[in-house]
Amino acid sequence: MAKLNQIIAVEKGVKSRAQRELADVLRVLQKPALLSGISRVYRAKDEEGETLPPESTKVQVKSEDALRDVARSLTRLFDVVATKDWANGEARADIVVDGQTILARVPVTYLLFLEKQLTDLNALIEKLPVLDAAEAWSYDESQDVWRTDPVETSRTKKVPRAHVLYEATDKHPAQVETFTEDVIVGTWTKVAFSGALPARRVNELRDRVDRLQAAVRYAREEANAAEVDDRQAGDAVFAYLFA
């Protein structure tokens, strides 16, 4: 009695061999000369006529023989795939993470599906936006987003000023220098909001996916180690097809 992982291991080789042998049969059947034969016997018109030896060509390939070769090649493949597919429906294992059973008696086909999906989820998590570490963030329950503490900044306005260099006299007008001065006219209060995630949350999700992936791989290996009954499907198929 074999194990499911052993059947899976030999399936590719059996399939390649069957395809190669089937291609060989097809190639031979496409050569009409190999399927043709002839027999010619010469008889002179009279006794004094020339005598020629008979000619003959034997049939080298028979279609029925080719069908038997095809059946023999494919029967092993049909049996291997049947054994694997029947076993896949029976092979099951639990997915356990840190002693907690996430799913019980999971079919190996679903384990393969889940493994692929977790790989895609892991790629998604790797691309999750993370809150800017340069800011201090807190969760705003009312808006369901992250927010920073308020930061105040001043708004200024340039106001023209005049500076008297020399006072006016009876002989000279006053000399005045003009300039502008930045004067605070108000205050901005800024609060930043974000829908990104804290780095610790992303790390936690990444860790959970990693652990579940490991558990699924372990369960798959355990399910594939199940012993399987050999299935004989090929003989029944070809007994009907080529009867």
Side-chain angles (χ1 to χ4, degrees):
M1 183 175 288
K3 295 184 182 296
L4 178 55
N5 53 15
Q6 294 172 324
I7 295 297
I8 293 173
V10 303
E11 179 189 10
K12 184 177 181 180
V14 171
K15 184 178 293 184
S16 296
R17 179 179 177 181
Q19 290 174 340
R20 184 172 61 253
E21 292 178 351
L22 181 60
D24 290 342
V25 170
L26 287 172
R27 186 164 50 253
V28 169
L29 290 177
Q30 290 172 356
K31 296 180 179 179
L34 298 179
L35 285 85
S36 302
I38 192 174
S39 176
R40 296 201 309 171
V41 178
Y42 181 76
R43 187 178 65 226
K45 183 176 181 181
D46 51 46
E47 294 181 356
E48 295 181 357
E50 185 179 6
T51 301
L52 298 175
E55 297 177 355
S56 65
T57 302
K58 291 184 177 181
V59 172
Q60 299 179 57
V61 175
K62 301 175 183 178
S63 294
E64 287 292 347
D65 290 343
L67 290 177
R68 280 190 287 271
D69 290 341
V70 168
R72 184 170 54 253
S73 297
L74 293 181
T75 293
R76 173 59 177 160
L77 174 62
F78 282 27
D79 291 348
V80 167
V81 175
T83 300
K84 182 197 72 173
D85 287 347
W86 257 269
N88 276 338
E90 301 166 359
R92 298 170 181 267
D94 297 345
I95 300 175
V96 181
V97 179
D98 297 334
Q100 176 186 356
T101 300
I102 308 300
L103 291 173
R105 292 186 49 74
V106 184
V108 68
T109 48
Y110 189 77
L111 290 169
L112 290 168
F113 163 79
L114 192 56
E115 192 169 355
K116 171 64 170 61
Q117 296 304 308
L118 288 174
T119 298
D120 294 342
L121 280 173
N122 197 32
L124 170 66
I125 290 172
E126 291 295 335
K127 296 179 180 178
L128 285 174
V130 178
L131 294 174
D132 186 357
E135 300 283 355
W137 298 91
S138 59
Y139 195 68
D140 188 331
E141 295 283 352
S142 63
Q143 301 192 58
D144 195 25
V145 293
W146 293 88
R147 61 177 293 166
T148 60
D149 293 334
V151 176
E152 291 189 353
T153 55
S154 299
R155 178 176 181 269
T156 61
K157 182 177 180 181
K158 293 187 179 299
V159 177
R161 301 291 191 189
H163 175 63
V164 179
L165 298 177
Y166 301 100
E167 295 291 342
T169 66
D170 54 351
K171 296 183 179 179
H172 301 285
Q175 293 187 22
V176 179
E177 180 184 52
T178 59
F179 62 95
T180 59
E181 180 181 1
D182 289 332
V183 177
I184 295 176
V185 295
T187 302
W188 283 108
T189 301
K190 176 186 174 184
V191 177
F193 297 93
S194 177
L197 292 174
R200 68 177 182 277
R201 175 61 173 160
V202 175
N203 291 335
E204 175 186 294
L205 292 172
R206 186 184 295 117
D207 180 62
R208 283 179 175 272
V209 171
D210 287 345
R211 283 186 289 163
L212 186 55
Q213 281 182 308
V216 169
R217 283 193 292 267
Y218 180 85
R220 174 171 53 80
E221 290 300 322
E222 184 178 355
N224 282 337
E227 293 185 341
V228 298
D229 296 324
D230 289 334
R231 302 285 176 173
Q232 307 296 322
D235 287 341
V237 171
F238 288 105
Y240 168 75
L241 285 177
F242 298 155

